[in-house]
Amino acid sequence: MSTSQKKILSAAAVGAAAVAAARTVADRTSNAADEDVTRWRVVTVNRPLDDVVAGTPAPLADLGDAVEVRVHAAPGDKGSELWARWRDGADLPDDQDPAQVLRRALRGSKQLLEVGWVLEPGRHTTTEDTVLNAPLRKAISTARGAGLL
Amino acid sequence: MKALLWTGINETSVEEVPDPQVQNPEDMIVRVRRTVTCGSDLHLLGGYIPFMQKGDVLGHEFMGEVVEVGPDVRRHQVGDRVVVCSFISCGRCWYCKNELFSLCDNGNTNPGITEALWGANPGGCFGYSHAMGGFAGSHAEYVRVPYADVGAFRVPDGVSDERALFASDSASTGWMGADLGNVRPGDVVAVWGAGAVGQMAARAAMLLGAERVILIDRFDYRLRSAEQHVGCETLNYERVEVVEELRERSGGRGPDVCIEAVGMEAHSPSAVHAYDQVKQQLRMQTDRPTAVRQAIYNCRKGGTVFVLGVFAGLVDKFPLGAVMNKGLTLRSAQMHGQRYIPMLLERMERGELVTEHLATHTMPLTDGPRGYTMFKEKQDENIRSVFLPGG
């Protein structure tokens, strides 16, 4: 086998593996605990308790009475814990995964409390949609609401 | 503007793309004066970190001139000459407040990807895949710098562009390895990898008072470069037995601190390398940890191993028994550059830390694909290719 053939085969193997890895991540954008929609989810906010209890940040407040919120002091010097859950029987968003909606709201609230605004992703004006990057695009599209939170 | 794009596995091209814009109040736009290849880019180029999209702008180690600031930027103004940390960190979360900047809670806009992979998300990074936030990289005429007051640093007048460039990542990463590796006066330190990061780790160890610093590589030209510009000892692992040599040079103890600056595509002259390559190609492991294994095996009892090289996933034959039974401290991190860059710039100004020799090949950005080929294939004794977006 020539060197160039080896390179092509190697690139193909790596490419196939890349697609598989991205698909794995895309498939893991939710976890088993997401099936329990009403379970508590929590972020730790590096702000004193008084700052966090002063008002529910907009991303959580926008979810209205459907979401129950509680706040505790975090142990040590870690700030405050901001907890939220969908209330039993609440009207859940029917066009989005409720777990992802709540994760996005918690992460956004944390950034508002710590920084004052939410970091915008870069505008990907140069990227191209291809068949190979479809799994990655799916993972990116849900990445703010995905994860273990 | 022109930018160097990743267009597929081992494929790049320079194309015309839209200019970046201020999107958040603490953003600023930097006109890139110098931007440099990094060994960790090769993992992206080769598809080993599989989170790139066709058209992503590469590059994370850079310096330039401020051309626009957002309304809440306080420390910078238009015209400032700045070096920018490769990691994007908010400066206000618990991790940033504890100077663990690369672990920033808020700097990565795609946290779900790395939470799924690793259980938690690190901060963002310029031009380093969508797993690290998907931020456009620095191999471009202009780049958006989020959290500008946290991640950008004014370059002192006495420090040239050529020197300041490497404070962005190589020098700060190397310094972190020696600092968090707990190098103390009188230590014997071994560093695997004589690229820019390894050379900077060796220099940091010397400046922190190490008695002997030994840099290990297989390329004579990189070792000569380190001998000449860093002033450390060297060792070519294709010519001598590393284990025996390190024992001799450390009084039979083994090095006190072992710093691995190689990463997931390590080489070895032994049969283990072929084994690792086959397993990596078959995706039975994602990374080749050859240098990490050697660092662990060679470290003295009770010593510290610091992993600076970039790893993405799983490795095979990890010598946990040696770590446990020798009582080693194993540490690692992406770079907490904001913690070190101001100090490094001062040392650069005093002449204690020189970096110009790392830029073996400087060329216009339009030659970027050639620059990456030279860098990857070690052509013409390349250590780093530096691109000038301004031509």
Side-chain angles (χ1 to χ4, degrees), chain A residues 23-38:
Chain A
R23 185 172 293 140
T24 300
V25 169
D27 290 344
R28 282 193 209 161
T29 52
S30 60
N31 57 61
D34 286 5
E35 292 169 16
D36 180 4
V37 172
T38 60

Side-chain angles (χ1 to χ4, degrees), chain A residues 7 9-19 21-22 24-25 28-29 44 46-47 77-79 103 107 110-111 114-130 133 136-137 139-149, chain B residues 5 9-10 15 17-18 21-27 46-48 50-57 72 88 90 92-95 97-98 105-113 115-117 119-121 130 133-136 144 146-147 281 283 377:
Chain A
K7 282 184 177 174
L9 276 179
S10 175
V14 172
V19 172
T24 300
V25 169
R28 282 193 209 161
T29 52
T44 299
N46 192 29
R47 299 292 302 171
D77 63 347
K78 295 185 176 64
R103 278 199 200 97
R107 287 177 173 142
K110 172 182 163 71
Q111 285 201 36
E114 289 183 339
V115 181
W117 39 268
V118 177
L119 181 62
E120 285 189 24
R123 294 176 185 144
H124 301 297
T125 50
T126 59
T127 53
E128 289 181 33
D129 294 351
T130 65
N133 68 28
L136 177 57
R137 280 185 280 120
I140 293 167
S141 69
T142 58
R144 282 218 164 184
L148 306 178
L149 185 64
Chain B
L5 310 181
I9 291 175
N10 291 321
E15 296 179 19
V17 304
Q21 296 175 335
V22 168
Q23 296 179 230
N24 283 117
E26 293 177 37
D27 285 359
Y48 292 97
F51 299 102
M52 295 293 284
Q53 288 195 80
K54 184 178 183 181
D56 286 341
V57 182
D72 291 349
I88 296 168
C90 75
R92 280 151 282 195
C93 69
W94 185 87
Y95 294 97
K97 289 293 186 187
N98 283 275
D105 272 343
N106 299 315
N108 187 337
T109 55
N110 292 327
I113 294 178
E115 271 194 21
L117 276 177
N121 66 288
H130 294 269
F135 295 94
R144 169 196 174 211
Y147 306 124
Q281 293 298 330
R283 314 317 287 177
E377 305 298 334

Side-chain angles (χ1 to χ4, degrees), chain B residues 7-286:
Chain B
T7 52
I9 291 175
N10 291 321
E11 292 176 6
T12 59
S13 69
V14 176
E15 296 179 19
E16 199 69 30
V17 304
D19 289 355
Q21 296 175 335
V22 168
Q23 296 179 230
N24 283 117
E26 293 177 37
D27 285 359
M28 71 185 186
I29 305 297
V30 168
R31 182 173 67 80
V32 180
R33 285 161 69 138
R34 283 174 190 261
T35 178
V36 58
T37 58
C38 174
S40 62
D41 291 337
L42 300 181
H43 313 324
L44 300 176
L45 283 176
Y48 292 97
I49 296 178
F51 299 102
M52 295 293 284
Q53 288 195 80
K54 184 178 183 181
D56 286 341
V57 182
L58 288 163
H60 59 264
E61 185 166 11
F62 65 105
M63 58 81 57
E65 179 184 337
V66 178
V67 294
E68 185 180 355
V69 294
D72 291 349
V73 174
R74 298 286 177 264
R75 289 179 48 211
H76 300 289
Q77 51 193 331
V78 171
D80 281 357
R81 195 166 62 106
V82 294
V83 62
V84 180
C85 181
S86 61
F87 259 77
I88 296 168
S89 312
C90 75
R92 280 151 282 195
C93 69
W94 185 87
Y95 294 97
C96 287
K97 289 293 186 187
N98 283 275
E99 296 192 310
L100 302 168
F101 290 97
S102 74
L103 304 179
C104 175
D105 272 343
N106 299 315
N108 187 337
T109 55
N110 292 327
I113 294 178
T114 40
E115 271 194 21
L117 276 177
W118 302 322
N121 66 288
C125 184
F126 294 97
Y128 211 79
S129 90
H130 294 269
M132 294 300 197
F135 295 94
S138 59
H139 293 343
E141 291 180 84
Y142 299 94
V143 64
R144 169 196 174 211
V145 177
Y147 306 124
D149 283 340
V150 180
F153 300 87
R154 193 177 302 176
V155 178
D157 290 342
V159 180
S160 67
D161 287 5
E162 292 87 340
R163 185 171 292 186
L165 168 64
F166 292 95
S168 169
D169 189 304
S170 307
S172 38
T173 303
W175 195 280
M176 181 185 73
D179 178 37
L180 301 187
N182 205 27
V183 171
R184 291 285 181 263
D187 278 353
V188 176
V189 177
V191 180
W192 275 258
V197 171
Q199 289 199 27
M200 291 295 99
R203 183 62 185 156
M206 292 170 68
L207 291 169
L208 289 169
E211 180 74 18
R212 296 187 81 161
V213 178
I214 305 150
L215 190 55
I216 303 160
D217 203 288
R218 66 185 169 128
F219 294 104
D220 282 333
Y221 77 90
R222 301 210 306 185
L223 295 172
R224 280 197 308 272
S225 168
E227 287 169 1
Q228 183 179 348
H229 300 285
V230 174
C232 60
E233 301 176 37
T234 62
L235 193 163
N236 187 324
Y237 68 74
E238 289 189 334
R239 299 232 185 83
V240 298
E241 285 296 326
V242 172
V243 177
E244 293 165 10
E245 197 69 26
L246 287 179
R247 284 289 164 134
E248 282 186 20
R249 296 191 196 188
S250 60
R253 300 181 301 276
D256 302 284
V257 179
C258 291
I259 299 172
E260 185 273 353
V262 178
M264 62 196 283
E265 295 180 69
H267 290 81
S268 161
S270 69
V272 172
H273 178 59
Y275 168 86
D276 276 331
Q277 271 203 313
V278 168
K279 290 205 77 167
Q280 191 176 35
Q281 293 298 330
L282 293 174
R283 314 317 287 177
M284 295 170 75
Q285 65 176 353
T286 58

